[in-house]
Amino acid sequence: MKIERIEEYDERFEKDIIDQHGAYVINDETYAFQVLDRDTCRVTFSNRNDLNEAIEEYRFFGGHISCFVDQNGKILKEYDKVSFFDMKLEDIYVSQFYVSEEKIKRLLPYVKEFLIPVAKIDGKMVSLDGHTRMKIAQLKGISHVNCYYEEAGDYAKDFMEEAQQRGIFHVYDMPLLSKEEYEEKWHRFCDDFFEQRKAL
């Protein structure tokens, strides 16, 4: 089964759905996720067959969403709600090296809350995702964000350690890159990293 998250503009989805990383295609069927609040997401889909797989894929990036509803508000799937806690940006270590200027521009109009998944690794609180949102918070002069715990993938420690070897500890250290630079540097690093792991 091939699951694709649509990042570029596609006539099958509304622009705001793509900008908020809510557009997915599975076996040529579309699944559009629209966040309603910190717990709830509306799902519009062309075929229900792979709905569970689409929701699971979406939750990989949006683990704080615990309730998925259809266009009529009927519950499609529910999970246990996550607990949020406040953290200073300066106390969160990062597992990414760069932030895309283009992603910031696309996400900026939609960010109402700064919800960041974190895990404790080697005694440090490390962000597993949400680096663009943290950068937006920093640029807006916001010093605290809402965090929730998630289980770290086995690569998260490697990414954090690599970031620190590059002198990148917190979001304040993360440089902004153009779309082209971001794709060249960050995507290439990720592709090379996981290719090397496959070879082991």
Side-chain angles (χ1 to χ4, degrees):
M1 175 184 295
K2 182 183 178 183
I3 303 177
E4 182 182 7
R5 185 166 77 165
I6 304 301
E7 302 282 359
E8 301 297 332
Y9 294 128
D10 184 312
E11 63 184 9
R12 294 173 293 180
F13 297 95
E14 297 292 332
K15 176 181 179 295
D16 64 327
I17 296 294
I18 295 172
D19 285 344
Q20 296 177 79
H21 307 300
Y24 290 81
V25 175
I26 305 178
N27 299 326
D28 295 322
E29 302 293 345
T30 59
Y31 300 85
F33 294 83
Q34 183 175 22
V35 175
L36 303 180
D37 57 43
R38 65 163 53 177
D39 300 313
T40 311
C41 196
R42 180 191 295 129
V43 191
T44 306
F45 47 91
S46 59
N47 190 311
R48 196 182 182 113
N49 286 350
D50 296 313
L51 178 61
N52 286 338
E53 287 77 9
I55 288 174
E56 288 299 323
E57 183 71 13
Y58 180 83
R59 288 192 85 242
F60 180 79
F61 300 99
H64 61 284
I65 299 294
S66 57
C67 182
F68 294 85
V69 300
D70 65 13
Q71 288 292 89
N72 300 313
K74 181 181 177 182
I75 295 174
L76 298 167
K77 198 158 188 182
E78 278 190 293
Y79 299 82
D80 292 337
K81 285 190 176 185
V82 303
S83 297
F84 294 93
F85 54 94
D86 180 85
M87 280 198 73
K88 289 182 179 180
L89 277 178
E90 64 188 36
D91 293 335
I92 302 172
Y93 290 80
V94 297
S95 59
Q96 189 170 308
F97 320 146
Y98 317 108
V99 177
S100 164
E101 289 178 322
E102 190 233 5
K103 284 189 174 185
I104 285 181
K105 289 176 184 174
R106 288 173 65 168
L107 193 59
L108 190 58
Y110 309 105
V111 177
K112 297 181 177 68
E113 290 188 283
F114 299 93
L115 309 176
I116 310 299
V118 297
K120 186 170 278 190
I121 301 173
D122 293 344
K124 300 179 176 74
M125 295 297 282
V126 181
S127 55
L128 304 177
D129 194 26
H131 297 92
T132 305
R133 293 191 295 276
M134 288 200 298
K135 197 66 172 179
I136 291 173
Q138 177 207 331
L139 295 172
K140 286 187 168 187
I142 295 169
S143 60
H144 291 70
V145 293
N146 291 306
C147 296
Y148 60 97
Y149 283 113
E150 269 196 358
E151 186 175 340
D154 58 2
Y155 58 87
K157 180 177 179 180
D158 293 330
F159 277 35
M160 177 194 73
E161 290 176 346
E162 179 65 27
Q164 292 181 4
Q165 288 176 14
R166 295 167 182 244
I168 299 167
F169 294 84
H170 308 285
V171 70
Y172 302 99
D173 306 318
M174 298 177 73
L176 290 171
L177 300 183
S178 68
K179 178 184 177 182
E180 293 75 19
E181 284 182 297
Y182 181 81
E183 290 178 352
E184 167 64 20
K185 292 183 176 181
W186 177 242
H187 289 182
R188 185 176 65 178
F189 170 82
C190 292
D191 290 345
D192 290 348
F193 177 88
F194 289 111
E195 279 300 317
Q196 288 172 9
R197 292 193 65 165
K198 281 183 188 176
L200 295 178

